[in-house]
Each structure stands twice: as C-alpha cells, then as structure tokens.
Amino acid sequence: MKIKRIAYPVFSLGASKRVAIWTVGCNRRCKGCVSQNLQGVDSGYKISVAEVVEKIKNFKKLNPDLGVTVSGGEPFLQGELSQLLKEINLLGIEDVLVYTGYTYEELKSIFPDFESDFQRYIGVLVDGEYIEELNDNKPLRGSSNQRIIFFKEFLMKKYASVLNGGRNFSFGESNDGTLDIYGIPPKGFLQNMQKDCLKKGVKYVYPNK
C-alpha cells in the first residue's frame, strides 16, 4: 500500500491516544480539502501491510487501549485496506476509525462483500465528501453532510466526550520534513493563516505541503 505517514501518539481524529495512518491518492478534489497534498499518487512511499501492523503492534505495547485512525487521501483506493483492517483487529484493536469520501451506500455498492471484508473490522466510519459550504465547525468531521457511523456501538460511550467537544488538531512533522496537520482545524483556520503570512511578508506554504 502507499501512505504519506504513520504518526503516534495522535490525540485527534478519534478518542484517546491513537496511531494515525494517512494514505495517498484521492480523485475527489474537494474544495478546501485539508489534505490537498495527499490527493495525488506521486507523494508518499510504499509499505507492506506487515510493516504497518508491526509498527502498530509496537505502539500497542506502550498503550494497551490503542485506537487506530486510517485517513487520506482515500483509504478505499488502497487494495490492501481490507487486509490491513483485518490484521489490526487480530491485534485486539476494535477502535478503528476510517475516513472516506464515499458514502456508506456507495461503499456497499462498490464492494459487494463490504460487510464481511471491511465493516466487521471498522469501529467507526466517517463517510461522505467534504463540502466547504457545509463546514459547521463540529468535531470529528469536516462538513455536516458527513456522517459518523458506529459499526461497533459500544464505542459510542468512548467517543461521547469527543463528539460533545470542539475541534482538535495539532501540527506534526513528516519524515520528509514537511509540516502536516493532525486532525480537523476550525473553520477558516487555514485561510486566516494565509492572510497572517501575507501581512507579515512571509511566503505562505499550505501546511500539508
């Protein structure tokens, strides 16, 4: 599979301390996407499912209550996604959150065996494309059309404080030295950042590039 980064610990993009994996490649090109640099397939690097799982296994030794978030890019363009999710479950991790630009209904249409190949291994699915005009500043998803679907209902209690709070994000540095956003920033944050840079005469670089 091809990814941009694996980060730990991440305190956004889900509940509790987590591992976050960002895949590359997305054909939606949503206006205002916070991860524009992950849309193409030229960035990132190739890594096997076994290597990713080994990293997660080591992080789980540090944190038995580990959660995992898979974002992108579009994770469902990765042919190895089902195997990755299965292997994560075999580690005893059920808090697996996956972001996708597809709707749940589209996924079931694209993948006839979606329930057995994917859904059984996913704890929470955030579905639907990002629509900038519907950005309502709510936590965990970018716009109000996106749904937070709990396939494992017992996780609703764990996520209650996250869903009742504000947006949570931080900056992190990738292996290539670029600055990336971990999480979903408040509405208008990136635009205000650009304006501040222009006022100060600082060359603006999109945070995810």
Side-chain angles (χ1 to χ4, degrees), residues 1-10 18-23 38 44-57 59 66-71 84 88 172-175 180 182:
M1 62 190 306
K2 197 168 186 185
I3 68 172
K4 173 67 185 296
R5 58 188 177 271
I6 299 175
Y8 173 86
V10 173
R18 333 180 52 78
V19 176
I21 304 163
W22 287 266
T23 65
L38 304 183
Y45 60 95
K46 291 183 179 180
I47 187 171
S48 69
V49 169
E51 289 175 290
V52 176
V53 172
E54 187 63 27
K55 289 178 182 292
I56 295 173
K57 185 186 300 183
F59 293 136
L66 188 69
V68 176
T69 295
V70 184
S71 187
L84 174 64
I88 292 173
E173 188 173 333
S174 289
N175 293 333
D180 297 306
Y182 297 171

Side-chain angles (χ1 to χ4, degrees), residues 52-138:
V52 176
V53 172
E54 187 63 27
K55 289 178 182 292
I56 295 173
K57 185 186 300 183
N58 290 332
F59 293 136
K60 192 174 188 298
K61 292 176 183 177
L62 302 174
N63 177 24
D65 189 36
L66 188 69
V68 176
T69 295
V70 184
S71 187
E74 173 52 63
F76 284 94
L77 294 181
Q78 301 289 326
E80 303 90 342
L81 180 63
S82 177
Q83 183 62 29
L84 174 64
L85 297 175
K86 179 180 179 180
E87 295 294 333
I88 292 173
N89 260 223
L90 289 174
L91 294 177
I93 300 174
E94 296 192 87
D95 179 7
V96 179
L97 186 155
V98 179
Y99 282 90
T100 177
Y102 295 105
T103 64
Y104 176 42
E105 291 75 18
E106 287 174 330
L107 289 173
K108 289 193 293 183
S109 175
I110 295 169
F111 302 102
D113 296 321
F114 179 79
E115 291 187 7
S116 60
D117 290 348
F118 296 97
Q119 184 171 327
R120 63 185 295 187
Y121 305 121
I122 297 173
V124 187
L125 183 77
V126 180
D127 79 335
E129 64 182 34
Y130 171 68
I131 300 176
E132 191 170 43
E133 293 75 16
L134 298 181
N135 186 336
D136 57 2
N137 228 22
K138 294 292 179 65

